[in-house]
Amino acid sequence: MTSPVGLHRVVEPAGVLPQAAWRLDADPAIAPNEVRIRVERLNLDAASFRQLSEKHGGDGEKVRAEVLEIISTRGKMQNPVTGSGGMLIGTVDEAGRRSPLGLRPGDRVATLVSLTLTPLTITDGLARWDGRSEQVPCDGYAILFARSIAAVLPADLHPELSLAVLDVCGAPALTARVVAEHVARRERAGDVRPVTVAVIGGAGKSGSLSLAAARRAGAGRTVGVVPVAAERDALAAAGLASEVALADARDPVALSTAVTSALGAPADVTVVCVDVPGCEHGAVLATADGGTVIFFSMATSFAAAALGAEGLAADVTMLVGNGYVPGHAELALELLRGEPGVRALFEARLAAD
């Protein structure tokens, strides 16, 4: 019997969901409720790519070899250190007659579920990838389950640009929801103070989208925090934040000082979009009592976040960004189209890659 969440594809260990499985069955023959995608490009998540690149000292050949080894061994792309994967774009090759996804052969799509739970086979040895960028041109195939999510690629955007945006589309959607809730709460209480938002990693993909989403959701003041002067200048030129601050997010005191100096007080909402570990305590310290911290980075230690908040006696709500909010793909693409600063940052990043 075929499971809508892919249990029938789990090889080992038995009884777990595909994301938690060590190995999946990536057989291209599909069940009636599955879809087979001919893969064109993978987008490795930032935390995973950084870990692999640092492990191999930037040697692209070694990075490529390890990615191939992971996929061939596990039947999916799941970094064994970070536990994360990424997403892909491709063309629908075959759709099972009972698939509820509404996809047809020939549709060009981006998967909105992680590669950590997507059966995947690479057939070209990643011959066109130099191992030095998050985006991985390739040939192969992937399987979507009945409970998977995919978006048909928009005709007005370059596929690589769409892939980069859709890879992080959960971040701006959840940021917008949380900021709107804070704004509504203040309005109900007759509190005229503006809601303030800090985005750690504001010049990155998820960070720039989150800054734009926060402003549209009613944030009165925003600060984007970045680690180096080049990113500070790029984010300031993009015009997405009220203030831009320079700080190492791994230094709790420096991060908190940068945010409070920029905003005049700790932030009501802090969004963590960096791809390095050790940013949890600074994010908590930079957030006002009664505020919310949203963790989007796959490098986050949620034990460190919880214990850090307890140790700081911080009355904050901490949310794990799970990558899915209804309407998240549409919102992210609309922000890209409607916010020149967002588009400029994305295009510059793709050009650098």
Side-chain angles (χ1 to χ4, degrees):
M1 182 173 179
T2 57
S3 163
V5 297
L7 289 173
H8 58 288
R9 291 276 182 173
V10 173
V11 176
E12 60 174 313
V16 302
L17 290 171
Q19 196 279 332
W22 173 252
R23 186 158 60 97
L24 299 180
D25 175 7
D27 190 319
I30 61 170
N33 63 351
E34 293 181 328
V35 173
R36 184 175 63 251
I37 305 295
R38 193 70 189 183
V39 181
E40 301 173 18
R41 187 175 293 266
L42 308 179
N43 192 104
L44 303 182
D45 81 276
S48 176
F49 178 72
R50 176 187 286 271
Q51 185 275 326
L52 290 166
S53 185
E54 291 179 349
K55 174 183 176 180
H56 295 294
D59 187 324
E61 290 296 317
K62 292 181 178 179
V63 172
R64 183 175 68 177
E66 181 161 356
V67 170
L68 276 172
E69 175 65 19
I70 291 170
I71 295 171
S72 63
T73 300
R74 305 196 63 177
K76 59 178 178 174
M77 178 55 210
Q78 185 171 28
N79 185 315
V81 175
T82 65
S84 54
M87 59 177 293
L88 62 84
I89 60 173
T91 302
V92 175
D93 198 28
E94 183 181 0
R97 65 183 186 279
R98 295 212 306 267
S99 170
L101 302 185
L103 300 176
R104 300 177 180 179
D107 285 344
R108 291 191 79 195
V109 300
T111 59
L112 302 181
V113 291
S114 175
L115 294 177
T116 62
L117 56 82
T118 304
L120 175 67
T121 296
I122 297 300
T123 58
D124 69 344
L126 302 181
R128 292 174 289 135
W129 183 47
D130 63 5
R132 291 185 169 86
S133 66
E134 296 171 10
Q135 292 212 7
V136 184
C138 62
D139 289 324
Y141 55 82
I143 306 298
L144 299 184
F145 310 131
R147 287 284 296 273
S148 297
I149 314 167
V152 176
L153 291 174
D156 63 317
L157 298 175
H158 192 283
E160 290 183 25
L161 184 57
S162 295
L163 179 59
V165 173
L166 294 172
D167 180 46
V168 294
C169 63
L174 184 55
T175 297
R177 175 189 285 177
V178 171
V179 171
E181 289 171 350
H182 274 264
V183 170
R185 193 177 308 142
R186 290 227 168 134
E187 289 177 348
R188 288 194 299 269
D191 187 341
V192 298
R193 291 176 301 159
V195 170
T196 59
V197 178
V199 177
I200 317 304
K205 294 189 298 182
S206 58
S208 59
L209 285 166
S210 295
L211 281 167
R215 183 168 61 189
R216 287 197 178 190
R221 295 188 66 201
T222 59
V223 57
V225 183
V226 295
V228 295
E231 290 191 10
R232 177 195 60 198
D233 296 343
L235 184 56
L240 297 174
S242 308
E243 306 287 341
V244 180
L246 194 62
D248 185 339
R250 298 167 295 185
D251 184 331
V253 174
L255 178 59
S256 176
T257 299
V259 170
T260 54
S261 295
L263 297 176
D268 297 309
V269 179
T270 299
V271 187
V272 181
C273 297
V274 291
D275 58 1
V276 294
C279 304
E280 300 86 3
H281 295 173
V284 171
L285 200 59
T287 307
D289 281 347
T292 303
V293 184
I294 310 172
F295 291 104
F296 280 107
S297 171
M298 291 294 101
T300 300
S301 166
F302 301 107
L307 294 173
E310 178 187 51
L312 293 167
D315 178 22
V316 296
T317 298
M318 295 186 292
L319 301 178
V320 179
N322 73 353
Y324 175 69
V325 176
H328 60 336
E330 294 81 0
L331 172 63
L333 291 170
E334 189 214 343
L335 288 171
L336 180 79
R337 294 185 181 105
E339 297 282 350
V342 170
R343 186 158 189 157
L345 289 172
F346 269 80
E347 290 178 339
R349 184 185 182 97
L350 288 173
D353 287 344

